Amino acid sequence: LVRRSGGQGFAWRVNLRAIADSLGELARWEVGGEVYGGNTLFVAGGQSRYVRSSYLAAISEQFSTFSLSTIRSAGHWIHADEPDALLLIISSFLDVPPSGRS
């Protein structure tokens, strides 16, 4: 999520180069490895089965300070299903005012 030029709204931008460059490291991620202590936000779609309550113990072992927000009406593609709700959640987490979509 990046702020649009001129500060008017936000847009999604995927850093494909960073993902490609880090794919090997991402694939080697193991539960029980290094714990990330920074604030971390998980956003789940209520109609998706990707983030289950049974995973919360494992998540808390890896991310000591995390929060989980669920958008009940969204599936796995939260940004496509409920973009305004997602924007509000992310804006609140980042403590920036949501300026809406352009």
Side-chain angles (χ1 to χ4, degrees), residues 60-102:
S60 68
E61 289 176 12
Q62 293 294 143
F63 302 93
S64 61
T65 309
F66 81 94
S67 60
L68 170 65
S69 292
T70 301
I71 301 174
R72 291 182 184 208
S73 58
H76 177 66
W77 287 50
I78 301 165
H79 64 288
D81 294 340
E82 294 289 346
D84 293 329
L86 181 59
L87 178 61
L88 286 173
I89 290 168
I90 293 171
S91 296
S92 176
F93 178 77
L94 297 175
D95 196 26
V96 297
S99 56
R101 295 184 298 147
S102 299

Side-chain angles (χ1 to χ4, degrees), residues 41-57:
L41 172 65
F42 287 83
V43 182
Q47 305 301 311
S48 173
R49 298 178 59 145
Y50 280 89
V51 181
R52 299 179 182 195
S53 59
S54 61
Y55 300 160
L56 294 179

Side-chain angles (χ1 to χ4, degrees), residues 8-42:
Q8 298 299 313
F10 293 90
W12 292 105
R13 182 171 59 195
V14 177
N15 189 339
L16 294 177
R17 168 65 68 197
I19 293 170
D21 290 347
S22 302
L23 200 52
E25 184 176 343
L26 291 169
R28 288 189 299 275
W29 178 77
E30 295 181 24
V31 173
E34 185 175 334
V35 175
Y36 179 70
N39 292 333
T40 307
L41 172 65
F42 287 83

